[in-house]
């Protein structure tokens, strides 16, 4: 593990203390988690940007042209059909 000394404005530090306490974790754990989440988000953004650079609009359009041009079934109707198939009547004892 490495140590890091950071200077924060008092108001930010107070918020940090309160949020860590609400989560039931130490300030160190809170900061480490926040840094890890930020690194993951930025790394993902960079990866997706690089992936997009390799993409081809022409290939995308060619694949999309193969998809049937019909309206999708509405989500709510599909969900109701799925749920109604899986519902069983309650057994009376």
């Amino acid at each position: 593990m490495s140590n890091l000394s950071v200077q924060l404005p008092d108001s930010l530090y107070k918020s940090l203390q309160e949020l860590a306490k609400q989560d039931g974790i130490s300030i160190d754990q809170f900061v480490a988690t926040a840094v890890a989440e930020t690194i993951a988000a930025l790394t993902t953004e960079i990866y997706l940007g690089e992936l997009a650079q390799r993409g081809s609009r022409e290939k995308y359009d060619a694949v999309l042209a193969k998809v049937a041009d019909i309206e999708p079934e509405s989500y709510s109707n599909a969900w109701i059909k799925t749920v109604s198939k899986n519902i069983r009547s309650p057994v009376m004892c």
Side-chain angles (χ1 to χ4, degrees), residues 11-92:
S11 60
L12 187 57
Y13 185 73
K14 183 174 177 136
S15 295
L16 174 60
Q17 286 177 309
E18 291 171 2
L19 291 170
K21 185 175 181 179
Q22 286 175 8
D23 283 356
I25 59 176
S26 69
I27 291 175
D28 285 355
Q29 288 175 304
F30 189 93
V31 171
T33 301
V35 170
E37 289 174 358
T38 302
I39 289 172
L42 293 173
T43 302
T44 300
E45 184 179 0
I46 292 166
Y47 169 75
L48 292 175
E50 291 169 353
L51 197 59
Q53 292 294 322
R54 296 190 339 226
S56 161
R57 183 64 185 207
E58 292 78 24
K59 289 180 182 178
Y60 169 80
D61 288 338
V63 170
L64 192 60
K66 296 178 183 179
V67 177
D69 189 17
I70 59 172
E71 287 293 319
E73 185 174 351
S74 83
Y75 174 75
S76 59
N77 289 340
W79 182 81
I80 290 169
K81 288 177 185 176
T82 301
V83 170
S84 64
K85 287 179 186 177
N86 295 322
I87 294 178
R88 297 182 182 172
S89 299
V91 177
M92 302 297 251

